[in-house]
Amino acid sequence: MSPADVMEESRDTSNLTPAAGGANANPAASQGRLDPAVRTIIASARKPERPPSLGAWVCGLVCGVLFWASFYPLAIGPLAWFAFTPLVMLIRIPVPTRWMYSALYLTTLAATLVQLQWMRLGDVTMYPAWIALSLYVAVYVPLTVFLCRVARTRLKVPAVIALPVVWVGTEWLQAHAFTGFSWYYLGHSQWQWTTLIQISDLVGGYGVSYVVATGAAVLGLFLPRRLYQSLRLEPPKRSDWPNNSEGSSTSLPPVSLSHRGMATAWLICLVAAACLYGTLRRDPAVFSPGPRVALIQGNFPTSLGPPTVAAGDRFRTYHQLTGLSVPYQPDLIVWPESVMPWPLLEAEENLSLAAITGIVPNIKAEAFRSGEMKEMFENLATQAGAAMMIGVLTGDVTARHGYRTFNSAAFSRPELGLVGRYDKVHRVPFGEFVPMRQWIPGLEQLTPYRGQFGLAKGEGPAKFEYEGHNFTPLICFEDTVPHLANEYVRRENPDVLVNLTNDGWFNESSEQEQHLISALFRTVETRTPLVRAVNTGISAVIDGDGVILEPKVFIDGETLKRTEYRTAYGGFEKDRHAVLVSDVPLDSRTSLYVRGGDWFAMSCAVFASFCLFVRFVPTRSVAI
């Protein structure tokens, strides 16, 4: 029967229907006498009835709660394997619910606001940044569901494959978009499963996220049909839909035993392979003795208001804590980020005092030539008999760039004094600089600062040598950025990564633990140990396996005596004056991730982008 014949028969049949049943004829009964081909055409022209939004709200809420609980302050890592399972339900249903993506976004936003609440602690003016970042990060969950539904409906890629690939792609995007925010990756929840996270030296921490997301997707295949029905995730059955049965286009597609079996086998193989690789990589690892470091941890909360402790008193505290470490003969002593209360002022040698005054009229030109700060750095290193790396704010004057301010790590050696500095490259948007301020006037109103504001971007990584060991610094959140640490290790090949951080802005919050956990993955990815000196904590030494080591010596800054490293709240010492002395184990292993970079995560991002492209390619209408 040709389409023309079908339509003609449709017209003829509709004309006969009133005669057969009158004006009050039953439409369903009338339609039941239509040719099956006619019923198919009529049904396909109708949009399926969307299920109510209840299921989307419940799935989004459960996902948000489980994801939040997987990280600090609760840090129940196993929950991450279930966090995205509710999303599988929304990916698999043939017809999206009403307000599905709005419900997902709002529930994710609520969880994200709670998760990132530590951002507001520094000052009341930081509330806009907290809310803005939460509004942005919350986009990724509904975006993942949307792209996975495109992959399932348009590309016929099952959810168990699409979900982990798309999620890793969005994690890579999150690490780069708007300068990047590489926090709360799904794989970070598994930091205590040391064997599993060893695959990070192959494809980065993204590989761990892929494994965990695959686990959640496979578990989603075992959710009973009655759960979908109780959440009303299927549209009601209607007699006028063609083939309205288990195989209907509006019914939940069944999952065969063979499909579940293959998905389970894939997950088992994936986890087993990751654990086998981790075991093989760890067993033969031999760490050679490295430099002895002393990490000086002050406890000075930071805010935009007037300091509660005078600059001179802070300096004396750090100086006193440093003296307590000297008897243990460290090779390197590290002070946290921006802990030096006075700026380091430097100017090009060929600039005259008049030229400096013309560039920086509000600072005496003689201050750039006095050398007092350089002499202080030399005295500190000479008195300690060790190299020192200290966080300091640098004012730099050049003829080409004028006056610029940097967040720096100054490196000094005994007798030689200040031998170099590293200027922070990865700055925090709206915290250390205002992006696009030259195009959008008044954008600085979103920051806690007013008027002239902003730190300049450093030129790249640095490497400092002392006693045959090489050190490459990272400042603040730079130890949370996978591709940045990867690039620094590839270019400089240091023995030890050194992180200088001031977490005093987020004193007594889960940010301190989560910052440490994010940094932990850099050691496995690069097979390079990392030491962290953090104002308020958590200071630590982490080996190339991602294991946080107990210090050889722990000195309580309150009693000024050596004591045991107590496993306090969260298992770490924080929010107290302390000195940690430890020998850093050097790692001779190589890393495929350092050589190959983000090829895996980028491939996942390409697939996610292709799904987005396919969504807008004209084709037969499909509910997404």
Side-chain angles (χ1 to χ4, degrees):
M1 181 180 293
S2 68
D5 294 333
V6 171
M7 296 306 296
E8 182 64 29
E9 181 172 328
S10 174
R11 284 193 294 269
D12 294 342
T13 307
S14 63
N15 289 334
L16 293 174
T17 301
N24 297 323
N26 187 340
S30 302
Q31 199 172 54
R33 289 193 292 272
L34 294 178
D35 185 278
V38 178
R39 294 180 60 202
T40 301
I41 293 174
I42 296 174
S44 62
R46 295 180 177 176
K47 290 185 178 181
E49 183 178 346
R50 290 179 179 268
S53 61
L54 171 66
W57 286 102
V58 172
C59 289
L61 180 62
V62 173
C63 174
V65 170
L66 292 178
F67 190 81
W68 168 78
S70 301
F71 301 93
Y72 278 95
L74 298 185
I76 308 175
L79 292 180
W81 294 83
F82 304 90
F84 285 175
T85 298
L87 302 184
V88 179
M89 302 177 70
L90 302 180
I91 295 170
R92 291 190 62 239
I93 56 176
V95 181
T97 73
R98 297 188 183 96
W99 304 101
M100 187 170 81
Y101 297 109
S102 298
L104 275 178
Y105 179 75
L106 292 175
T107 51
T108 303
L109 176 60
T112 305
L113 284 168
V114 174
Q115 196 164 57
L116 298 179
Q117 59 83 28
W118 46 263
M119 288 190 62
R120 63 183 174 82
L121 298 179
D123 190 82
V124 66
T125 57
M126 298 175 72
Y127 274 71
W130 164 50
I131 296 173
L133 182 61
S134 299
L135 289 169
Y136 158 66
V137 173
V139 168
Y140 285 102
V141 168
L143 177 63
T144 296
V145 172
F146 175 77
L147 294 178
C148 286
R149 288 187 61 82
V150 173
R152 184 185 65 82
T153 58
R154 296 286 181 87
L155 304 177
K156 308 304 178 185
V157 178
V160 73
I161 300 297
L163 178 58
V165 173
V166 170
W167 181 254
V168 169
T170 60
E171 283 190 344
W172 180 88
L173 176 62
Q174 185 176 330
H176 292 80
F178 308 108
T179 75
F181 183 70
S182 306
W183 287 62
Y184 298 105
Y185 280 7
L186 191 62
H188 292 174
S189 63
Q190 305 304 301
W191 67 276
Q192 297 183 82
W193 193 350
T194 306
T195 302
L196 179 69
I197 68 173
Q198 300 307 306
I199 60 173
S200 298
D201 75 347
L202 296 176
V203 292
Y206 301 107
V208 185
S209 294
Y210 179 87
V211 174
V212 178
T214 299
V218 172
L219 291 172
L221 300 181
F222 289 86
L223 297 177
R225 189 186 186 94
R226 61 179 176 272
L227 180 59
Y228 286 82
Q229 294 170 346
S230 63
L231 293 177
R232 302 174 67 187
L233 287 173
E234 288 186 274
K237 295 183 178 181
R238 292 174 48 171
S239 60
D240 57 352
W241 282 96
N243 302 321
N244 198 353
S245 63
E246 291 297 319
S248 168
S249 61
T250 62
S251 298
L252 182 70
V255 181
S256 64
L257 290 177
S258 61
H259 187 188
R260 288 174 176 166
M262 288 188 295
T264 303
W266 166 239
L267 176 61
I268 292 174
C269 290
L270 201 60
V271 175
C275 291
L276 177 61
Y277 177 81
T279 301
L280 295 176
R281 285 293 273 171
R282 294 194 70 194
D283 280 351
V286 178
F287 298 115
S288 58
R292 175 168 292 185
V293 299
L295 307 175
I296 312 302
Q297 175 180 299
N299 183 31
F300 298 105
T302 307
S303 70
L304 295 177
T308 56
V309 180
D313 291 336
R314 293 201 308 271
F315 176 80
R316 281 188 287 272
T317 297
Y318 272 97
H319 191 265
Q320 182 182 35
L321 294 174
T322 299
L324 296 176
S325 72
V326 171
Y328 302 98
Q329 299 181 323
D331 298 302
L332 175 69
I333 300 174
V334 187
W335 289 14
E337 171 194 15
S338 304
V339 72
M340 182 62 71
W342 306 285
L344 173 64
L345 300 178
E346 296 192 311
E348 282 184 330
E349 293 183 1
N350 59 346
L351 286 178
S352 65
L353 293 179
I356 295 175
T357 301
I359 297 173
V360 197
N362 57 329
I363 302 178
K364 291 183 178 181
E366 290 78 7
F368 291 88
R369 299 300 187 199
S370 68
E372 292 182 3
M373 287 298 296
K374 292 183 179 180
E375 183 179 351
M376 177 183 292
F377 282 112
E378 179 180 356
N379 291 338
L380 287 172
T382 302
Q383 292 170 8
M388 295 193 68
M389 194 177 295
I390 299 176
V392 63
L393 201 64
T394 299
D396 187 87
V397 177
T398 63
R400 178 182 178 184
H401 299 288
Y403 180 73
R404 294 180 297 173
T405 304
F406 295 97
N407 186 352
S408 305
F411 187 78
S412 58
R413 295 176 51 165
E415 310 302 336
L416 296 179
L418 185 65
V419 296
R421 77 171 199 258
Y422 163 73
D423 300 324
K424 185 179 181 182
V425 172
H426 187 86
R427 300 161 298 164
V428 178
F430 299 106
E432 293 177 322
F433 81 109
V434 180
M436 301 181 294
R437 66 179 301 177
Q438 61 269 41
W439 296 293
I440 307 177
L443 201 57
E444 66 272 6
Q445 297 302 316
L446 295 178
T447 74
Y449 306 92
R450 297 294 182 265
Q452 294 297 321
F453 163 74
L455 297 177
K457 180 180 180 180
E459 296 182 356
K463 182 168 64 175
F464 304 120
E465 187 273 335
Y466 184 68
E467 296 293 339
H469 300 296
N470 295 315
F471 307 94
T472 290
L474 299 164
I475 298 178
C476 194
F477 288 173
E478 287 186 328
D479 64 347
T480 69
V481 185
H483 51 277
L484 183 77
N486 186 30
E487 177 190 356
Y488 281 18
V489 171
R490 184 175 63 252
R491 290 174 57 178
E492 302 295 342
N493 192 29
D495 297 314
V496 182
L497 291 170
V498 182
N499 177 234
L500 299 80
T501 289
N502 175 19
D503 279 347
W505 296 97
F506 320 109
N507 193 27
E508 300 182 3
S509 73
S510 61
E511 183 275 345
Q512 294 165 288
E513 287 87 0
Q514 201 55 48
H515 190 177
L516 172 66
I517 300 314
S518 299
L520 175 150
F521 278 81
R522 307 294 84 78
T523 66
V524 186
E525 291 169 347
T526 63
R527 294 300 179 189
T528 305
L530 170 71
V531 300
R532 307 180 72 239
V534 186
N535 176 40
T536 71
I538 302 167
S539 302
V541 175
I542 312 172
D543 69 17
D545 281 338
V547 176
I548 302 170
L549 305 177
E550 289 196 8
K552 184 182 185 71
V553 176
F554 178 77
I555 301 175
D556 188 328
E558 305 298 332
T559 63
L560 306 182
K561 295 181 180 179
R562 180 174 176 174
T563 184
E564 293 185 3
Y565 186 82
R566 296 185 299 273
T567 54
Y569 168 72
F572 308 107
E573 293 282 5
K574 65 176 189 176
D575 303 319
R576 65 189 306 157
H577 297 312
V579 178
L580 290 77
V581 181
S582 186
D583 296 325
V584 182
L586 301 183
D587 197 331
S588 61
R589 291 172 294 179
T590 59
S591 165
L592 180 64
Y593 180 65
V594 170
R595 296 195 300 269
D598 285 333
W599 66 269
F600 173 72
M602 289 180 64
S603 300
C604 294
V606 168
F607 175 80
S609 300
F610 181 70
C611 291
L612 187 62
F613 169 77
V614 167
R615 171 62 181 87
F616 296 101
V617 173
T619 184
R620 184 172 62 88
S621 178
V622 179
I624 294 174

